Amino acid sequence: MIVWITGASSGIGEACALEYAKKGASLILTSRSDNKLAEVSRRCLEKGAGQVSILPYDLENPDGIENLSEKAWNTFGKIDVLFCNAGVSQRTTVEETSMETVRKLMEINYFAPVAMTKAILPRMVAAGGGRIAVTSSIAGLFGFPLRCAYSSSKHAVYGFYETLRAEYYDKGIRVTIVCPGRVRTDISINSIGKNGEKYGKMDPGQAGGISPEKAARKIVKAISRGRREVLVGGKELVMVYIKRFFPGLCARIGRSIKPV
């Protein structure tokens, strides 16, 4: 099994790489940091990965994604699982969020995975099928304070990949949309704050979230089973069902939630 994971140098991406490594998969790992990728690669090989190749890349740059995808496919001659996991968040109100930040989050969270998917999809179809997973969020299912750009990018992700699933199911493509709630990663620390600077703080809710390893076990199982959607987190996931069945109540709760 050949698996390409973006955002693989930390958090959910790293944990999923290690989980796949334990299953003997060969891995292609992408993130901005080649040093961190090298360390994750070493650990994956120790866990039992067949082979590991690292392809460092900044997904904010759209111009090289086609070439990046071609390199990834040619690394082992195919890709069985494409997991578009890389992403960035924010911690600003609508008024505080610059259009530069909105565009940055859309570029990384939405346009990059879409471009990668469009590059890999025809190759997968020609090979007889494959699995494509993408990280959205529970914030991609309902809006949340201080997440206007993040939530909108994740809503867009959900719409694109639902459509992909509908169009290509009969061609052997299985699509899994991953919707994390609170997972104990550095996403809040690395979020964009006021004036575009790094937020630099761990949200209390994030700190109390489930471990990336627990999330990874659930995600990898869901992808292997071809599940349409996987919710990952703790008690906060109840909001998904409140939104589905009691949208007015969800709106009231959302207004009252402390956003960090």
Side-chain angles (χ1 to χ4, degrees), residues 125 156 208 251:
V125 170

Side-chain angles (χ1 to χ4, degrees), residues 184-221:
R184 200 163 57 248
T185 70
D186 289 343
I187 190 169
S188 64
I189 295 172
N190 295 325
S191 291
I192 299 173
K194 295 179 183 179
N195 303 314
E197 82 281 9
K198 189 175 179 179
Y199 183 65
K201 293 185 286 186
M202 173 70 80
D203 291 343
Q206 206 83 44
I210 67 170
S211 70
E213 293 75 21
K214 183 175 181 180
R217 289 192 293 271
K218 190 169 184 179
I219 291 167
V220 170
K221 182 182 291 186

Side-chain angles (χ1 to χ4, degrees), residues 84 113-114 117 132 134 157-165 175 177:
C84 298
V114 166
T117 296
I132 297 175
V134 65
V157 160
Y158 208 105
F160 181 90
Y161 284 88
E162 270 201 320
T163 302
L164 172 68
R165 180 194 301 129
V175 177
I177 303 175

Side-chain angles (χ1 to χ4, degrees), residues 87-98 101-106 109 139 144-154 186-194 196-201 203 206 259-260:
V88 63
S89 190
Q90 57 156 144
R91 295 296 185 271
T92 48
T93 66
V94 170
E95 287 184 293
E96 293 167 342
T97 304
S98 68
T101 294
V102 173
R103 291 188 175 97
K104 180 184 180 77
L105 265 65
M106 288 299 292
N109 295 353
F144 196 77
L146 304 189
R147 310 287 194 278
C148 62
Y150 178 73
S151 184
S152 58
S153 70
K154 295 302 188 177
D186 289 343
I187 190 169
S188 64
I189 295 172
N190 295 325
S191 291
I192 299 173
K194 295 179 183 179
E197 82 281 9
K198 189 175 179 179
Y199 183 65
K201 293 185 286 186
D203 291 343
Q206 206 83 44
V260 296

Side-chain angles (χ1 to χ4, degrees), residues 63-142:
D63 295 335
I65 289 180
E66 177 69 38
N67 287 337
L68 174 73
S69 300
E70 184 176 358
K71 286 181 183 177
W73 184 270
N74 291 335
T75 297
F76 299 119
K78 67 172 183 173
I79 292 171
D80 298 303
V81 178
L82 168 63
F83 184 16
C84 298
N85 167 71
V88 63
S89 190
Q90 57 156 144
R91 295 296 185 271
T92 48
T93 66
V94 170
E95 287 184 293
E96 293 167 342
T97 304
S98 68
M99 286 306 299
E100 180 182 0
T101 294
V102 173
R103 291 188 175 97
K104 180 184 180 77
L105 265 65
M106 288 299 292
E107 196 65 66
I108 296 171
N109 295 353
Y110 176 71
F111 288 116
V114 166
M116 291 171 58
T117 296
K118 282 176 63 61
I120 294 299
L121 179 63
R123 295 175 168 95
M124 271 191 175
V125 170
R131 301 184 183 279
I132 297 175
V134 65
T135 298
S136 178
S137 169
I138 61 169
L141 300 172
F142 57 88

Side-chain angles (χ1 to χ4, degrees), residues 45 51 55 60 62 134 221:
L45 289 169
Q51 301 178 72
L55 289 179
E60 193 177 355
V134 65
K221 182 182 291 186

